[in-house]
Amino acid sequence: MPTDQGQPNLPSQRLPVYVAETLVVSNGANLGDALSFANEIVPDDIYTLGAYAEQESLSLLAQAEGVYVVAQESSLGVSGARVVPDCVATFMPPSGDTIEVLVLVEVDDEGNVAQIYGAPLAPLVPKTDYALVGVDCEIALMRLAQLACVSFTRGTRVTMATGQQAPIEQLKIGDRVLTRDDGAQKIRWIGHTTQRATGEFAPIVITAGTLNNTNDLRVSPDHRLFIYQRHDHIGAGRSELLVKARHLINGASVYAQEGGFVDYFQIMFDTHQIIFAEGISAETMQFDPRTRPALPSDLREKLQTPAGGTHSDTSSHLEVHESLLDRPDVAALLKRASSK
């Protein structure tokens, strides 16, 4: 099993998954078989999600590019066990839409299959027939990497080096953006993906004023916001914090916005940075083993990951554990803590 070679702690990546046994072939060559890896599934088979199937949480840690293990806090799997992104299976329900499911295989110390998980990139409905219409083994790593990229939504206004506010979709490579720690920095890369705004992939809305932000801020669920505390109301024991947007949800001033599709934009500099978006300090995309496969191949070659495993990131120790944020008034406490 791979071991940690001195790499700094990277944020874990949480995926909503179904265990394979809940998605079973109801008609076709593999009748009665559960979802499996690419070599064992047959196109045109009809799968049905069990009536009582529930999504569970699988948390992963990247130890190197393409090498994932089950994170300690995961509610599924054996901590430290290797997880292989095997393929992306494309299913078609009766509506005629297509839904991608990322197939992940957990293996034991001997390399045997211990469990198989399906991470749907759009909601699956119990007791609905899904025809398997495609299997792609080339894009599994890229899809997993795209899910690890922190993203801003279309319309988010970013503070430029001049102090002007610019919508993120208008930014270009080479534009200079104001950063918290390193002043004006040039954009190295901008990515754009469109996803269904459902479940774990729905953007988190932080309404205007919640964290002293001038307008609503919409970001991906695992996007980390930077908070400077003048008073430690949550017991973190330090003044500088990084807080995942999903951990601030209270159903009122911070909520998940489901429905339709969402345009996500990723922005990356030569180093991991904190920038200002709608008046909130928020991180940019980090170049590391999780996100590297999401980049164009030519850029991946230019941005070689250092021996330590990350690309100039010194912020991992600032992330606040979810247990300290598990309270309905946490957003209000953080606003109060950061006020003079």
Side-chain angles (χ1 to χ4, degrees):
M1 185 177 298
T3 57
D4 191 336
Q5 306 259 336
Q7 154 178 316
N9 291 329
L10 295 175
S12 61
Q13 182 175 357
R14 188 173 76 175
L15 296 173
V17 301
Y18 291 104
V19 293
E21 291 77 12
T22 62
L23 190 59
V24 176
V25 177
S26 55
N27 190 5
N30 285 342
L31 181 65
D33 287 354
L35 178 69
S36 189
F37 45 85
N39 289 342
E40 292 193 351
I41 54 181
V42 178
D44 298 325
D45 274 359
I46 306 298
Y47 286 76
T48 302
L49 185 65
Y52 301 104
E54 293 186 359
Q55 280 189 321
E56 299 181 73
S57 179
L58 176 67
S59 295
L60 302 178
L61 286 174
Q63 293 193 323
E65 183 179 347
V67 180
Y68 295 87
V69 298
V70 178
Q72 184 175 4
E73 70 271 18
S74 181
S75 62
L76 288 175
V78 176
S79 178
R82 175 85 177 270
V83 175
V84 179
D86 179 74
C87 67
V88 173
T90 302
F91 293 91
M92 181 179 291
S95 64
D97 298 328
T98 56
I99 297 174
E100 290 184 336
V101 175
L102 177 60
V103 178
L104 303 162
V105 181
E106 179 183 341
V107 297
D108 61 22
D109 290 340
E110 285 73 44
N112 300 314
V113 175
Q115 184 57 268
I116 297 175
Y117 308 99
L121 305 188
L124 297 177
V125 180
K127 298 192 293 184
T128 299
D129 291 338
Y130 293 94
L132 178 63
V133 296
V135 180
D136 192 327
C137 297
E138 302 297 322
I139 63 172
L141 271 178
M142 183 180 69
R143 285 288 187 270
L144 187 55
Q146 288 173 339
L147 296 176
C149 295
V150 296
S151 307
F152 299 96
T153 60
R154 179 180 295 276
T156 300
R157 297 187 307 166
V158 173
T159 302
M160 309 301 290
T162 61
Q164 294 179 324
Q165 308 288 309
I168 195 165
E169 65 271 18
Q170 295 181 11
L171 301 183
K172 304 181 298 296
I173 293 173
D175 282 352
R176 293 166 65 85
V177 174
L178 181 64
T179 70
R180 179 182 183 272
D181 298 312
D182 295 318
Q185 292 292 311
K186 290 184 179 180
I187 297 173
R188 172 59 72 97
W189 178 75
I190 300 173
H192 173 219
T193 57
T194 301
Q195 295 181 354
R196 296 189 185 195
T198 54
E200 292 282 320
F201 310 110
I204 306 302
V205 180
I206 300 156
T207 58
T210 299
L211 293 176
N212 299 309
N213 44 313
T214 51
N215 294 293
D216 290 358
L217 177 67
R218 298 166 72 237
V219 294
S220 53
D222 282 331
H223 206 132
R224 296 184 299 179
L225 310 176
F226 179 86
I227 306 291
Y228 182 83
Q229 294 193 115
R230 290 176 171 82
H231 311 281
D232 188 8
H233 291 310
I234 65 170
R238 58 184 182 275
S239 57
E240 295 186 341
L241 312 176
L242 280 173
V243 179
K244 287 183 178 180
R246 70 161 73 247
H247 295 158
L248 299 178
I249 291 176
N250 55 24
S253 62
V254 183
Y255 61 92
Q257 188 175 55
E258 298 209 23
F261 291 82
V262 58
D263 283 328
Y264 279 130
F265 291 84
Q266 302 84 35
I267 181 171
M268 192 178 75
F269 298 86
D270 285 334
T271 56
H272 185 229
Q273 296 288 349
I274 302 295
I275 64 173
F276 304 97
E278 302 297 357
I280 293 182
S281 302
E283 71 172 332
T284 59
M285 178 174 156
Q286 180 175 331
F287 180 74
D288 60 36
R290 303 167 306 147
T291 59
R292 192 174 188 271
L295 298 174
S297 57
D298 58 339
L299 187 57
R300 291 202 301 268
E301 296 304 317
K302 293 177 182 177
L303 294 174
Q304 294 296 327
T305 306
T310 64
H311 188 61
S312 301
D313 173 50
T314 58
S315 63
S316 58
H317 67 288
L318 299 181
E319 184 170 334
V320 180
H321 193 273
E322 183 178 3
S323 61
L324 289 179
L325 304 169
D326 187 17
R327 49 189 302 168
D329 61 342
V330 66
L333 284 177
L334 289 173
K335 179 180 180 179
R336 192 186 317 156
S338 61
S339 300
K340 293 182 180 180

